[in-house]
């Protein structure tokens, strides 16, 4: 299946290398990365008194279920050393499932599409780079429209990998 988008984010240590490692681990777990957005440096959202994040959206292709993709993402986070101290706190790696095609799905640990896409520039900017016309299945708006209407005004800028 195509049209599956994941958001990768990190704000601890060598952030660029963490994104690279997460992509490698997705592939080693049988997930095909079709396209990658640029890497963006973004101000911390939710809890702003921490280092800026690097974020990237990847489009993947897989026959795996949404629950299996979430399991793999959580496993990669754990294997890379992520520890969950506080909501919106700093993190070594974070991998969120944003869209699974046009699927609308809700369970305790997974909601599709991700319920906060329309409120987060750090998600929408790389999504618009990859797929500006992709239609949000419940809001019925293109990603570019969601970005234009996004209430979040935190800084999102292209990242130049000097720490790589």
């Amino acid at each position: 299946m195509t049209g599956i988008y994941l958001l990768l984010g990190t704000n601890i240590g060598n952030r660029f290398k963490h994104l690279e490692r997460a992509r490698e681990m997705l592939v080693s777990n049988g997930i095909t990365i079709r396209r990658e957005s640029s890497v963006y440096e973004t101000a911390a959202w939710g809890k702003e008194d921490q280092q800026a994040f690097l974020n990237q959206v990847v489009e993947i292709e897989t026959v795996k279920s949404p629950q299996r993709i979430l399991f793999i993402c959580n496993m990669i986070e754990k294997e890379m050393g992520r520890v969950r101290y506080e909501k919106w706190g700093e993190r070594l790696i974070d991998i969120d499932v944003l869209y699974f095609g046009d699927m609308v799905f809700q369970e305790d640990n997974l909601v599709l599409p991700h319920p906060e896409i329309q409120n987060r520039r750090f998600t929408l900017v790389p999504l618009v780079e990859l797929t500006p016309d992709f239609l949000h299945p419940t809001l019925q708006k293109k990603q570019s429209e969601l970005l234009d209407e996004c209430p979040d005004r935190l800084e999102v800028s292209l990242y130049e990998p000097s720490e790589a």
Side-chain angles (χ1 to χ4, degrees):
M1 179 174 183
T2 60
I4 305 168
Y5 296 92
L6 306 178
L7 175 69
L8 313 177
T10 175
N11 76 331
I12 298 174
N14 189 328
R15 302 170 300 162
F16 193 79
K17 290 284 186 194
H18 295 320
L19 293 179
E20 186 176 73
R21 180 72 181 126
R23 291 189 310 269
E24 290 169 357
M25 291 179 79
L26 286 166
V27 171
S28 70
N29 278 279
I31 296 170
T32 301
I33 296 178
R34 295 188 68 224
R35 297 186 300 156
E36 303 173 6
S37 75
S38 300
V39 174
Y40 292 88
E41 188 163 43
T42 64
W45 188 94
K47 185 178 183 302
E48 298 175 20
D49 62 338
Q50 57 185 314
Q51 182 174 335
F53 279 78
L54 290 188
N55 286 293
Q56 179 181 45
V57 169
V58 293
E59 180 184 13
I60 66 169
E61 186 172 344
T62 186
V63 296
K64 298 175 185 343
S65 70
Q67 296 91 336
R68 184 68 186 161
I69 294 298
L70 178 64
F71 175 83
I72 290 168
C73 292
N74 289 337
M75 180 190 67
I76 290 170
E77 290 175 351
K78 185 176 181 181
E79 284 183 21
M80 286 184 65
R82 177 170 180 187
V83 178
R84 296 175 190 264
Y85 295 111
E86 63 182 316
K87 187 172 185 171
W88 298 321
E90 63 183 17
R91 60 204 70 179
L92 184 98
I93 192 68
D94 186 36
I95 307 172
D96 290 334
V97 182
L98 300 175
Y99 290 108
F100 209 91
D102 60 359
M103 182 180 288
V104 177
F105 180 86
Q106 185 163 354
E107 281 189 354
D108 289 342
N109 64 345
L110 181 61
V111 177
L112 294 171
H114 190 288
E116 292 295 327
I117 289 170
Q118 67 278 5
N119 297 318
R120 297 178 175 172
R121 287 179 57 79
F122 67 86
T123 301
L124 286 166
V125 170
L127 264 170
V128 167
E129 177 188 331
L130 287 183
T131 186
D133 296 329
F134 184 82
L135 199 62
H136 189 292
T138 58
L139 299 176
Q140 294 299 302
K141 292 184 178 185
K142 297 176 182 179
Q143 301 309 294
S144 57
E145 293 172 304
L146 293 175
L147 180 57
D148 289 343
E149 298 170 2
C150 183
D152 174 12
R153 292 293 162 218
L154 291 175
E155 181 72 24
V156 176
S157 57
L158 275 175
Y159 178 71
E160 299 298 328
S162 61
E163 67 179 57

